[in-house]
Amino acid sequence: YGISYFKDYSHRPLGYIDIYKDRIIFASYDGKIFYSNNIDEIKKKNLILNKFEIFNYNFDFDFEDGLNYRNIKIRDILVDGEDLYVVTNGRTKIDEDNYYASTNILKGKINLNDSKIYFNSFFSPDEKIFDIVDWSHTGGRLVKYKNSSFLLSVPDYALINDYKKLTKLVNSKKSIIGKILLVEDGKFKIFSYGHRNPQGLYYDDKNDLIFETEHGPTGGDEINLIKKNKNYGWPEATYGARIEGLNFIRNHKKNGYVEPLSYWWPRGCGVSEIIKVDNNFNDDWKNYTIINACLSGSKDQGKSIYRWEFDIKKETLIKKNKYHIGDRIRDIKYLKNKKTIMMLLENKRSLALIFK
């Protein structure tokens, strides 16, 4: 289902999606936020997007800025009941070509009656990150965790001009860089360490399991089972390409780090979001099923979704299928009561649905 709004201009990431009362909430790259008609109507090829009016926050997208990722503030959205949470990279301009970032969260109330959202700051760390080489490393995924807490993934901000500084900050208890954070009541605690560029995050509240995906350095894309206070290796350990003076370890476990459940090598898939799908979606998928989506990747690894079976007792992951979609899948969600998988496709600038 094509999104006509994007015919004149497009950037990557295209945007992010979530579900609100059987409707799709869609946040676009330039800070606009929409809600759709009911999913049953969309299945009949009738997609309607209505735009919210936004108050108390200026996403100030600059069409003249050639650095796409630096200019795109929205890096994830999460719907929890009537609340909409928006993760931004906190990009702030100081002067010409001098910026800093800091992953933060906004919170607003969804109101379809007047189509207005008033945002307030929900989480804003004190840390300001300068000298970012690659602004695609400024994303952050958000999931609801236990009680009133949340898990927020924070990248390494590509601070590759100073390898020693990067390594120190990723392993520091005083920095948010390269971590998954436990956020509650506006404060945070470090949940896990050693993350490069997280792209997906999923919490299974029934089984108390956390799955995360992240990009490796040319190969080495990972699927991880996240556990509290554990270190996942970056920048010392990776199954991706060797960067002289930075990563020097492949085997994680032997060096005190947590091994990924699975990884891509020598070619990456450009891994993005990860979800869990129950067996109501497909009668043949009887076991614990998770699906990860991919961006471009390399060779034939990307532009696909991968289906895995997870063994809870052994904590192992088995690849079952790879389904080629033929487009960069920026986001993917599963609507259980409608038995529908929804994907946001970047190149076609479209929403794609998979359902019975």
Side-chain angles (χ1 to χ4, degrees):
Y1 307 103
I3 306 173
S4 59
Y5 167 71
F6 292 109
K7 288 183 178 179
D8 297 326
Y9 193 78
S10 68
H11 265 301
R12 297 175 180 174
L14 184 64
Y16 299 91
I17 55 175
D18 207 349
I19 310 302
Y20 173 72
K21 295 182 177 180
D22 295 338
R23 299 170 183 262
I24 298 171
I25 301 295
F26 168 56
S28 68
Y29 63 87
D30 60 352
K32 295 180 176 66
I33 302 176
F34 303 84
Y35 63 94
S36 76
N37 49 332
N38 189 280
I39 193 72
D40 290 329
E41 297 174 7
I42 299 175
K43 288 180 178 180
K44 298 175 183 178
K45 298 185 178 181
N46 179 31
L47 171 64
I48 300 172
L49 290 178
N50 303 284
K51 188 171 70 172
F52 285 107
E53 191 175 358
I54 296 172
F55 296 88
N56 297 345
Y57 190 82
N58 184 7
F59 291 97
D60 58 2
F61 188 85
D62 181 5
F63 283 89
E64 300 302 319
D65 189 345
L67 292 180
N68 301 357
Y69 285 99
R70 182 175 70 188
N71 202 16
I72 298 171
K73 281 189 172 182
I74 294 181
R75 306 317 298 268
D76 196 18
I77 62 171
L78 170 68
V79 174
D80 181 38
E82 302 296 319
D83 296 322
L84 175 64
Y85 296 86
V86 177
V87 179
T88 87
N89 64 12
R91 180 261 297 155
T92 302
K93 185 175 182 178
I94 300 173
D95 51 45
E96 192 63 31
D97 210 34
N98 187 13
Y99 296 75
Y100 71 81
S102 184
T103 302
N104 56 69
I105 307 171
L106 305 171
K107 178 182 178 181
K109 189 72 66 175
I110 298 172
N111 186 344
L112 301 188
N113 293 324
D114 62 7
S115 301
K116 295 178 180 179
I117 300 182
Y118 293 83
F119 281 111
N120 292 295
S121 176
F122 179 75
F123 171 69
S124 182
D126 295 331
E127 189 172 4
K128 297 178 181 178
I129 296 93
F130 294 86
D131 303 319
I132 299 169
V133 175
D134 183 354
W135 281 79
S136 69
H137 286 236
T138 61
R141 287 288 190 174
L142 182 70
V143 295
K144 185 68 180 295
Y145 191 48
K146 299 175 181 179
N147 302 317
S148 60
S149 67
F150 297 80
L151 294 173
L152 172 67
S153 64
V154 181
D156 68 354
Y157 292 94
L159 302 178
I160 54 176
N161 283 337
D162 189 333
Y163 291 164
K164 288 184 178 180
K165 178 182 177 181
L166 172 61
T167 302
K168 180 180 179 181
L169 289 172
V170 171
N171 290 285
S172 171
K173 294 181 179 180
K174 297 180 179 180
S175 173
I176 66 171
I177 292 174
K179 315 290 195 311
I180 291 178
L181 307 179
L182 176 65
V183 177
E184 189 170 16
D185 297 328
K187 300 178 181 179
F188 77 92
K189 296 179 181 178
I190 295 173
F191 197 88
S192 62
Y193 299 78
H195 302 289
R196 182 176 180 268
N197 191 9
Q199 296 291 311
L201 193 61
Y202 181 83
Y203 176 57
D204 175 2
D205 58 351
K206 181 180 178 180
N207 296 289
D208 195 22
L209 297 170
I210 305 165
F211 296 96
E212 179 256 11
T213 61
E214 62 183 84
H215 287 169
T218 311
D221 292 355
E222 297 178 351
I223 299 178
N224 291 304
L225 180 64
I226 302 299
K227 296 187 177 182
K228 191 174 182 179
N229 296 325
K230 297 298 183 179
N231 193 316
Y232 289 79
W234 181 257
E236 291 96 342
T238 176
Y239 287 103
R242 176 75 182 274
I243 300 174
E244 190 67 31
L246 184 62
N247 57 303
F248 54 91
I249 297 170
R250 292 187 72 77
N251 189 294
H252 291 51
K253 187 176 181 179
K254 288 183 178 180
N255 293 279
Y257 302 117
V258 179
E259 290 283 352
L261 289 173
S262 188
Y263 62 89
W264 281 259
W265 176 256
R267 301 181 180 93
C269 76
V271 67
S272 56
E273 182 64 297
I274 189 166
I275 58 173
K276 181 180 182 294
V277 177
D278 60 29
N279 55 17
N280 290 323
F281 177 76
N282 189 322
D283 295 335
D284 294 330
W285 298 1
K286 298 295 184 183
N287 299 319
Y288 193 115
T289 298
I290 62 174
I291 290 177
N292 77 270
C294 297
L295 299 166
S296 294
S298 56
K299 292 290 184 179
D300 60 347
Q301 300 301 300
K303 299 181 179 180
S304 303
I305 57 175
Y306 289 73
R307 180 170 74 90
W308 308 80
E309 287 186 359
F310 180 67
D311 188 315
I312 293 180
K313 292 183 178 179
K314 296 180 180 179
E315 295 187 346
T316 56
L317 203 59
I318 301 171
K319 186 170 75 172
K320 303 301 292 185
N321 296 96
K322 171 175 158 291
Y323 305 99
H324 186 68
I325 303 300
D327 204 326
R328 292 169 55 90
I329 308 164
R330 172 55 61 181
D331 210 352
I332 184 169
K333 292 292 183 286
Y334 177 59
L335 185 55
K336 181 178 180 180
N337 66 312
K338 298 294 183 179
K339 303 177 184 178
T340 302
I341 293 174
M342 290 160 286
M343 300 178 292
L344 185 60
L345 308 182
E346 283 193 325
N347 293 339
K348 293 184 178 67
R349 294 173 281 183
S350 300
L351 286 166
L353 307 184
I354 304 175
F355 57 93
K356 289 185 178 181

